[in-house]
């Protein structure tokens, strides 16, 4: 995960955890009938909006980073392409080697043979 995305994710987790703690305090203070209940409920609503915004910030930061740096999200896609090219070249080399040696007795090959061993 890139640094900018990691920073946004850590910030979002901290904000969300504080929001959950704040919501629990608001709930418990409401159950006890404390004077702190009303301000905590109001601040919990505001914190929920901020937590939602921080989660969206993680998503937007990730999208922007991918767009700027041109990252393909498929893992090892470039390595897969290189392996594919190597495989093709090896097959071509083997085919050329087979054609050059003849593959049959005394260098002759019959067209109807089932086995080339």
């Amino acid at each position: 995960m890139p640094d900018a995305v990691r920073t946004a994710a850590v910030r979002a987790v901290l904000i969300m955890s504080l929001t959950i703690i704040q919501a629990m305090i608001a709930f418990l203070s409401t159950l006890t009938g404390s004077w702190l209940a009303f301000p905590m409920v109001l601040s919990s609503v505001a914190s929920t909006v901020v937590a939602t915004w921080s989660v969206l910030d993680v998503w937007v930061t990730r999208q922007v980073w991918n767009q700027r740096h041109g990252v393909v999200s498929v893992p090892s896609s470039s390595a897969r392409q290189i392996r594919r090219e190597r495989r093709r070249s090896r097959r071509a080399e083997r085919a050329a080697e087979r054609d050059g040696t003849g593959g049959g007795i005394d260098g002759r090959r019959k067209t109807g043979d089932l086995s080339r061993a």
Side-chain angles (χ1 to χ4, degrees), residues 62-108:
R62 182 178 169 271
Q63 295 297 324
V64 167
W65 196 90
N66 284 341
Q67 189 174 16
R68 284 185 183 163
H69 298 284
V71 174
V72 179
S73 62
V74 178
S76 69
S77 60
S78 58
R80 198 173 296 130
Q81 184 177 3
I82 292 170
R83 281 196 308 265
R84 212 175 283 136
E85 291 171 4
R86 284 184 191 156
R87 230 180 283 134
R88 283 185 194 136
S89 66
R90 274 190 246 134
R91 283 183 193 147
E93 287 173 10
R94 282 185 290 205
E97 192 176 295
R98 269 185 269 139
D99 291 342
T101 59
I105 299 174
D106 297 331
R108 293 173 292 185

Side-chain angles (χ1 to χ4, degrees), residues 16 23 25-26 31 49 52 56 71 75 87 101 105 117:
M16 285 178 56
I25 291 172
L31 287 179
V49 171
T52 305
L56 284 174
V71 174
R87 230 180 283 134
T101 59
I105 299 174

